[in-house]
Amino acid sequence: MPPSAAHRARRDALRALLADPGEVDALLVTDLVNVRYLTGFTGSNACLLVASDGRDVFCTDGRYTLQAAAEAPDLPAVIDRAGARTLVTTAAGRGVGRLGFESDAVTVDAHSELVDELARAGGSTALHRAPGLVQRLREVKDADEVATLRRACAVADEAFADLVAADGVRPGRTERDVALDLEARMRALGATAPAFESIVAAGANAAIPHHRPSGAPLRRGDLVTLDFGALVEGYHSDMTRTVVLGPAAAWQRELYALVAAAQVAGCAALRPGADVVAVDAAARDVVVAAGEGENFPHGLGHGVGLRIHEAPGLGPAGSGTLAAGMTVTVEPGVYLEGRGGVRIEDTLLVTGGTAEALSRTTRELLEL
């Protein structure tokens, strides 16, 4: 589907949500990620009025006149730095009654400015909270999004393979050296940037789930956890592999086998209609049965797409069910303070049958 047609289809799907009872007559979209999803525009200042009657309007400032014409050619564009206030005035001029706004993204001060703008415009338009409408659509990826996520995962896979082949994870290198090397390889393979700040955690640091790479050197016998991803055309991949430098000790093999078994159970539970809490439990129960439940301190995974963390969340406090077309991570981990830890993570596509792993790197323990 041509990009403009795909974005128009997304706006039409949003329009259907606006028509639900208790919803709104138009939605002011100010979250830039949501604007990109609905229009294709990638600049740093933009907003969008999505109207139930189909008369959508896009607004950005003068820096992006040409970019807006190229990236969102199917939308009438207003060039005005005032952005959201301008579109609120447009809505009032059209007699929109209930104007939704993204209350999960609009600050208190920005809301006050919009209220003042409506007062100046006159008429009967009123602002109504409408959080999460676009995010609901973003949970299920269309074919174009899945294709882009495949490319993002492939870039991360290839970069990791190249790093290992070049002996880039070896004793004497620092965590920071390895992280920078891995990120450079992803860029060289076509990534816009890393999907997030890469994690490289060696030895005792591998027991810290979100350790930031430091000047600590890698040592023979260390478990080394690498959590990384590639950003490709705005979409994020997310993968974690834990390796050992040299032959693995018995306790390291046992720990790795436990986490691998938990991940297999979590992946097997991914199916349309599955409750996200139950998916988490499928993996967590494996860890708990081994007596390591207290050492698995985070949720099993999360949605991934235009943001590295998005709905649905797979965890004990999550809510909702899975649907075909969702892309999620499954990333159990067990962390032993002072000794090290293991996390194994893949990005997967929920399908009508067995979930498809978009990350293809082997899940076997690598002894480097």
Side-chain angles (χ1 to χ4, degrees):
M1 184 182 297
S4 58
H7 295 119
R8 185 163 55 250
R10 294 171 189 173
R11 296 195 299 274
D12 287 341
L14 177 59
R15 236 181 298 284
L17 294 182
L18 301 186
D20 287 348
E23 290 296 349
V24 294
D25 303 312
L27 179 67
L28 177 64
V29 182
T30 52
D31 182 317
L32 281 173
V33 171
N34 290 339
V35 171
R36 177 172 186 163
Y37 175 77
L38 295 168
T39 69
F41 181 74
T42 62
S44 65
N45 180 30
C47 54
L48 175 70
L49 181 67
V50 177
S52 58
D53 63 5
R55 293 188 295 159
D56 303 339
V57 183
F58 174 80
C59 187
T60 187
D61 66 64
R63 295 172 297 168
Y64 296 115
T65 302
L66 296 178
Q67 184 175 335
E71 294 182 339
D74 60 325
L75 282 166
V78 175
I79 305 302
D80 191 330
R81 184 173 285 275
R85 297 199 306 274
T86 298
L87 293 189
V88 161
T89 301
T90 299
R94 292 180 177 181
V96 171
R98 295 170 58 86
L99 176 60
F101 72 99
E102 296 181 305
S103 54
D104 50 348
V106 174
T107 67
V108 173
D109 286 348
H111 176 261
S112 295
E113 291 178 358
L114 297 180
V115 170
D116 291 344
E117 191 68 30
L118 279 178
R120 285 190 290 271
S124 59
T125 301
L127 288 171
H128 291 266
R129 294 172 183 256
L133 292 180
V134 183
Q135 287 88 327
R136 282 165 58 185
L137 297 177
R138 282 175 36 212
E139 287 187 42
V140 175
K141 273 57 179 180
D142 60 32
D144 291 339
E145 292 180 287
V146 172
T148 305
L149 283 163
R150 286 186 195 281
R151 292 198 298 274
C153 289
V155 166
D157 281 330
E158 188 173 351
F160 180 72
D162 289 350
L163 179 73
V164 170
D167 197 24
V169 186
R170 65 178 184 271
R173 296 199 88 187
T174 68
E175 295 171 336
R176 190 176 295 114
D177 288 340
V178 175
L180 291 173
D181 190 350
L182 181 56
E183 291 177 355
R185 292 175 189 275
M186 288 191 288
R187 288 180 185 272
L189 290 166
T192 307
F196 51 91
E197 183 181 2
S198 302
I199 295 171
V200 177
N205 290 337
I208 305 170
H210 274 195
H211 175 71
R212 303 184 73 176
S214 69
L218 280 59
R219 295 182 171 86
R220 184 172 174 81
D222 278 353
L223 285 168
V224 182
T225 295
L226 302 95
D227 186 347
F228 58 99
L231 181 66
V232 174
E233 295 181 19
Y235 285 81
H236 303 72
S237 66
D238 197 355
M239 179 171 74
T240 304
R241 291 295 183 266
T242 301
V243 303
V244 64
L245 300 185
W251 72 270
Q252 293 172 326
R253 290 185 179 279
E254 291 171 5
L255 186 62
Y256 195 93
L258 172 61
V259 175
Q263 204 213 20
V264 167
C267 292
L270 296 177
R271 62 185 184 277
D275 186 279
V276 297
V277 175
V279 174
D280 175 88
R284 193 171 302 277
D285 288 350
V286 174
V287 177
V288 171
E292 297 289 356
E294 64 181 14
N295 293 320
F296 180 9
H298 53 75
L300 179 64
H302 54 85
V304 63
L306 282 170
R307 283 200 168 100
I308 187 60
H309 290 97
E310 56 184 45
L314 310 180
S319 62
T321 58
L322 298 180
M326 289 182 172
T327 48
V328 298
T329 66
V330 173
E331 50 180 301
V334 176
Y335 312 92
L336 307 180
E337 185 176 355
R339 300 181 73 187
V342 171
R343 183 166 65 254
I344 307 170
E345 175 189 18
D346 290 288
T347 299
L348 298 106
L349 172 67
V350 180
T351 70
T354 302
E356 178 189 353
L358 302 183
S359 330
R360 300 300 179 89
T361 297
T362 180
R363 300 176 191 175
E364 297 298 319
L365 176 60
L366 296 179
E367 297 172 287
L368 305 180

